[in-house]
């Protein structure tokens, strides 16, 4: 019965968050910053172009084009504009006849003008998303469907609850821990069901991410790092003037969310291993079970730490290339805030993973021991 009720409750929760959160949190959301409208349009004609091959980027051009375009949506649907399109190193959208793209429409002093903003990429994203969903459902079937439901719930909590609460000015540390715990509980119960394996994985995950978050917060404070040093963090300064956003706590939140998936994976792996060993060898003592769990944990931790650090390294690859390209010395680049943040992210998350192993193992063994005692009493 619980297996049927929980998915229904999760679906209803997602719907309620999507319906009521935008209404209840409207006061914490900024107004429209951009005065122009972003709409889909099509290039009907390339009137003229003055282009040269980009000397750096292969297959790119630099120069300018004059285009005739037709707007396909919005209040200016059906209208035609002549657009001047400049191709530079940063804005490089080469237009051809028939190209569907995103255009900006702006009205100024009674005159309406249009610019080629960017390529239209959303359909490719939807297609890739459909492939992902299909692969999960084909391979995972009902468990895959529950995994997708857990993923949607996670995204909904972050978008509809965490984000507005941060703009409201709540404490980011306690809020992110509570919401991460909620995500963990719902995800594990959906996928694993209501049993001791799931309960121990939940406790292990919450312990691991809390440890990772507190370490990142402590060392971020020691190193004088904050959300300002995150990518786009400085842009948030312009928003915080109108809201109560505590930007200094965003570093903690980002590390907590980034580490959550890896910690959940480790916790469930250890919990499943301990319970599987107990099922096949029920006469093993608690000490023997713990040693077996730690032996398994060594292998899991080795691969997961590598995965986590590689994920952070991949995200900071352009920064590493810049260090090499500019020939920075060690004392110069090691003290760059962006570098320090990536190191703190990777190491704090890894410590959280390491801490998850013994915590999950101990909780699993305690639950098994409790079940043994209850069975003996009944007999």
């Amino acid at each position: 019965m619980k297996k049927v009720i929980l998915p229904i409750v999760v679906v209803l929760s997602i719907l309620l968050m999507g319906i009521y959160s935008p209404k209840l949190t409207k006061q914490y959301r900024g107004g429209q910053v951009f005065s122009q409208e972003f709409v889909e349009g099509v290039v009907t004609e390339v009137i003229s172009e003055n282009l040269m091959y980009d000397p750096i980027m292969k297959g790119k051009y630099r120069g300018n084009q004059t285009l005739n375009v037709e707007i396909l949506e919005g209040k200016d649907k059906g209208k035609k504009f002549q657009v001047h399109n400049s191709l530079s190193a940063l804005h490089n959208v080469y237009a051809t006849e028939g190209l569907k793209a995103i255009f900006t429409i702006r009205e100024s002093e009674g005159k309406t003008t249009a610019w080629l903003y960017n390529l239209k990429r959303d359909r490719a994203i939807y297609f890739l998303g459909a492939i992902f969903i299909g692969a999960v459902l084909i391979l995972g079937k009902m468990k895959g469907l529950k995994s997708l439901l857990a993923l949607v719930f996670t995204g909904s909590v972050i978008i509809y609850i965490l984000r507005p609460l941060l703009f409201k000015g709540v404490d980011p540390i306690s809020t992110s821990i509570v919401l991460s715990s909620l995500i963990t509980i719902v995800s594990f119960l959906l996928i694993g069901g209501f049993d001791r394996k799931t309960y121990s994985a939940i406790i292990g995950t919450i312990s691991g991410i809390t440890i990772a978050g507190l370490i990142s917060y402590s060392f971020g404070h020691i190193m004088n790092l904050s959300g300002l040093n995150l990518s786009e963090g400085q842009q948030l300064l312009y928003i915080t003037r109108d809201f109560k956003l505590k930007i200094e706590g965003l570093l903690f939140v980002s590390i907590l969310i980034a580490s959550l998936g890896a910690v959940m994976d480790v916790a469930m792996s250890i919990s499943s291993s301990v319970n599987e060993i107990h099922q096949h060898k029920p006469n093993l003592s608690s000490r023997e079970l713990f040693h077996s769990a730690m032996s398994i944990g060594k292998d899991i931790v080795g691969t997961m730490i590598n995965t986590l650090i590689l994920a952070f390294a991949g995200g900071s690859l352009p920064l590493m290339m810049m260090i090499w390209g500019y020939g920075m010395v060690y004392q110069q680049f090691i003290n760059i805030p962006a570098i320090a943040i990536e190191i703190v992210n990777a190491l704090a998350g890894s410590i959280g993973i390491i801490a998850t192993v013994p915590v999950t193992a101990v909780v699993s063994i305690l639950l098994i021991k409790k079940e043994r005692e209850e069975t003996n009493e009944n007999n």
Side-chain angles (χ1 to χ4, degrees):
M1 191 66 178
K2 291 179 181 179
K3 292 182 178 180
V4 177
I5 294 176
L6 182 60
I8 295 173
V9 172
V10 173
V11 170
L12 291 175
S13 300
I14 293 170
L15 292 174
L16 289 174
M17 282 188 281
I19 294 171
Y20 289 104
S21 177
K23 297 177 182 178
L24 297 175
T25 62
K26 188 176 181 180
Q27 57 184 315
Y28 308 123
R29 184 178 180 181
Q32 183 68 36
V33 176
F34 303 103
S35 58
Q36 65 263 34
E37 184 182 8
F38 295 83
V39 294
E40 182 181 352
V42 60
V43 178
T44 57
E45 181 185 4
V46 179
I47 300 172
S48 65
E49 57 185 17
N50 180 21
L51 301 173
M52 61 175 288
Y53 285 108
D54 192 308
I56 299 175
M57 296 295 293
K58 186 178 180 180
K60 297 289 185 179
Y61 298 94
R62 291 197 188 183
N64 57 75
Q65 298 175 295
T66 303
L67 316 169
N68 277 335
V69 304
E70 181 182 350
I71 303 303
L72 301 179
E73 61 183 3
K75 63 181 181 180
D76 294 301
K77 181 180 180 180
K79 290 185 179 180
K80 296 181 179 180
F81 296 90
Q82 189 174 101
V83 174
H84 180 75
N85 180 37
S86 295
L87 287 82
S88 63
L90 297 179
H91 182 271
N92 197 296
V93 182
Y94 175 63
T96 57
E97 187 174 328
L99 175 71
K100 288 186 177 181
I102 302 300
F103 293 84
T104 57
I105 308 295
R106 178 181 292 177
E107 293 183 8
S108 178
E109 299 179 354
K111 183 180 179 181
T112 304
T113 53
W115 290 272
L116 176 55
Y117 172 68
N118 227 321
L119 294 173
K120 186 172 175 60
R121 298 182 173 95
D122 52 350
R123 289 177 183 171
I125 293 174
Y126 301 148
F127 182 68
L128 181 60
I131 294 175
F132 165 71
I133 292 172
V136 172
L137 293 177
I138 291 171
L139 183 64
K141 297 182 173 59
M142 184 54 67
K143 185 155 282 190
L145 180 61
K146 291 181 178 180
S147 299
L148 290 173
L149 184 57
L151 181 62
V152 174
F153 179 80
T154 299
S156 299
V157 170
I158 293 172
I159 294 171
Y160 294 123
I161 298 180
L162 177 61
R163 186 174 58 179
L165 286 177
L166 291 176
F167 272 100
K168 185 182 178 181
V170 299
D171 176 49
I173 298 176
S174 58
T175 302
S176 57
I177 289 176
V178 170
L179 293 181
S180 296
S181 301
L182 175 63
I183 290 171
T184 300
I185 293 169
V186 172
S187 298
F188 275 142
L189 290 178
L190 268 175
I191 299 169
F194 293 80
D195 56 27
R196 66 166 183 258
K197 178 177 69 176
T198 302
Y199 302 147
S200 55
I202 288 172
I203 296 172
T205 299
I206 294 173
S207 301
I209 60 171
T210 301
I211 290 170
L214 291 175
I215 288 174
S216 68
Y217 178 81
S218 301
F219 280 85
H221 181 73
I222 293 170
M223 299 181 196
N224 196 25
L225 299 172
S226 69
L228 283 175
N229 304 120
L230 293 170
S231 175
E232 308 300 333
Q234 293 182 2
Q235 299 296 324
L236 289 174
L237 279 176
Y238 301 103
I239 301 176
T240 53
R241 292 180 298 183
D242 302 318
F243 298 95
K244 299 177 181 178
L245 179 64
K246 297 179 180 177
I247 195 170
E248 66 276 2
L250 291 184
L251 178 61
F252 176 91
V253 180
S254 67
I255 293 176
L256 205 68
I257 294 174
S259 305
L260 181 58
V263 174
M264 288 175 69
D265 192 3
V266 170
M268 181 54 80
S269 298
I270 295 298
S271 179
S272 297
S273 299
V274 172
N275 282 275
E276 191 70 18
I277 292 170
H278 170 68
Q279 185 175 347
H280 289 282
K281 293 188 176 182
N283 295 324
L284 285 179
S285 65
S286 297
R287 182 183 294 274
E288 290 172 325
L289 266 179
F290 181 77
H291 282 304
S292 298
M294 294 305 293
S295 296
I296 296 170
K298 290 176 184 177
D299 295 330
I300 296 174
V301 164
T303 55
M304 287 308 301
I305 286 177
N306 199 37
T307 301
L308 189 64
I309 290 179
L310 285 175
F312 285 119
S316 59
L317 182 61
L319 188 59
M320 290 190 288
M321 297 296 289
M322 183 191 72
I323 291 170
W324 178 270
Y326 282 106
M328 294 184 182
V329 298
Y330 177 78
Q331 286 289 4
Q332 180 183 7
F333 73 77
I334 196 65
N335 293 297
I336 296 175
I339 293 290
I341 282 179
E342 294 301 330
I343 293 173
V344 171
N345 282 352
L347 296 182
S350 299
I351 293 171
I353 288 175
I354 294 170
T356 301
V357 172
V359 171
T360 307
V362 168
V363 173
S364 299
I365 293 168
L366 289 175
L367 292 177
I368 290 172
K369 186 177 180 181
K370 182 180 179 182
E371 186 178 277
R372 282 174 176 172
E373 292 173 351
E374 290 175 352
T375 302
N376 292 331
E377 289 178 0
N378 293 333
N379 292 335

